[in-house]
Amino acid sequence: MISIVTETYNYCTPGCKMVLKNVKKFGKLLQLVSMREVSRRCNSHFVYSPDANVTIKGERTKMNMFQAVNNALETALRSDPKSIIFGEDVGFGGVFRCTLDLQKKYGKERVFNTPLCEQGIIGFGIGVAVAGSTAIAEIQFADYIFPAFDQLVNEAAKYRYRSGNLFDCGKLTVRAPCGAVGHGALYHSQSPEAYFAHTPGLKIVVPRGPIKAKGLLLSCIRDPDPCIVFEPKVLYRAAVEDVPIEDYQLPIGKADVLIKGSDLTMIGWGTQVHVLKEVARILKEKYKVSAEVIDLVSILPWDIETICNSASKTGRVLVSHEAPLTSGFGAEIAATIQENCFLKLLAPVVRVTGADTPFPHIYEPFYLPTKWRCVDAALQLLDY
């Protein structure tokens, strides 16, 4: 245990380093400080930074991400009389308050609770979507989407194909809170996007903040294919922006270049985008390195052109995500870059990810791809 802690010394905040110094000095971790204390000092692994160059016109108001999601859902209900929202506890607002007051405004026939049965939720959603309704389903935590895996992968994704385009369930959108939250442990912190990215017929997006959350959710609700929106739950309250009040949509399948650079490309999605923006700042201030930061935004389909253009320009690529290393979506990105940009690369593509273990509780700070892990990986890339 001591070795595990000391090896992560360089990836911790100053407060955490002080704890770890004492651990190393006395060699008795359990007698000095619990790992919960280390976790408490390290669990803020990112600093949120709002979108700077927003081109959407019109009046705006300050919202956090769950309010932006709520606003998008209210917009969908108001503009489409066939739209319905359903899931566990959505009637009173849900555990993250994303459906707050929607039942009061639109009634129990359009916003209603379901039994605690994810397979049933998605199965019902497929049925009402095929029948002509706009189905918006909530899975309370992305970790519990797996009982519905068969419905999503074998039914929703294939409905149009197997019927020869006679029928489809394209009016199905599934929302699911995902990712680390500081205390979620193995059943409330997973990032399952890669499982579904293997499935033709689905579309998958991950917003990085309130503006993207509203625009992407409305695009998914109105898209002709079934969509999954994985919403990083730690951003529900941590992310605050001036969000356009009017109805707007943002493109599915288009990545965003958030910071332009020439020495290194860094790719992430969701919460990890904000980690990489911090990394870019550290690299510029301390090492005079110009790093390009890209938010992938859409997992399926994903923007191969933008990624490969950046990789060819900089010659060095770092991909970071919270999900485990093996078969994470970063592997697909790395393989695609290798196939398309091999002669332009100056170093192998590097992945900074979660570990190939269940998501831990008290060891979460050592599991997550923090800015210090990413800085270390970036410097090794530059020295290759």
Side-chain angles (χ1 to χ4, degrees), residues 204-206 251-255 295-303 329:
I204 306 157
V205 299
V206 186
I252 299 171
K254 181 63 178 174
D295 177 6
L296 194 63
V297 179
S298 179
I299 302 296
L300 193 68
W302 66 284
D303 191 348
F329 196 70

Side-chain angles (χ1 to χ4, degrees), residues 142-213:
D143 311 64
Y144 296 111
I145 201 170
F146 299 116
F149 194 81
D150 177 63
Q151 292 288 350
L152 286 164
V153 170
N154 270 340
E155 303 300 333
K158 297 178 174 63
Y159 215 102
R160 187 192 303 276
Y161 177 79
R162 72 175 184 173
S163 70
N165 204 31
L166 292 175
F167 308 101
D168 68 82
C169 57
K171 289 296 184 180
L172 171 65
T173 299
V174 182
R175 294 181 42 254
C178 70
V181 72
H183 51 265
L186 69 169
Y187 285 131
H188 296 85
S189 297
Q190 296 175 80
S191 298
E193 65 271 8
Y195 291 101
F196 298 97
H198 195 64
T199 307
L202 296 178
K203 292 183 178 178
I204 306 157
V205 299
V206 186
R208 65 174 178 269
I211 294 173
K212 297 297 287 190

Side-chain angles (χ1 to χ4, degrees), residues 113-148:
N113 295 335
T114 65
L116 277 72
C117 176
E118 287 77 14
Q119 185 176 15
I121 292 170
I122 302 306
F124 172 79
I126 293 169
V128 294
V130 171
S133 292
T134 301
I136 309 168
E138 178 182 295
I139 300 296
Q140 199 166 82
F141 286 88
D143 311 64
Y144 296 111
I145 201 170
F146 299 116

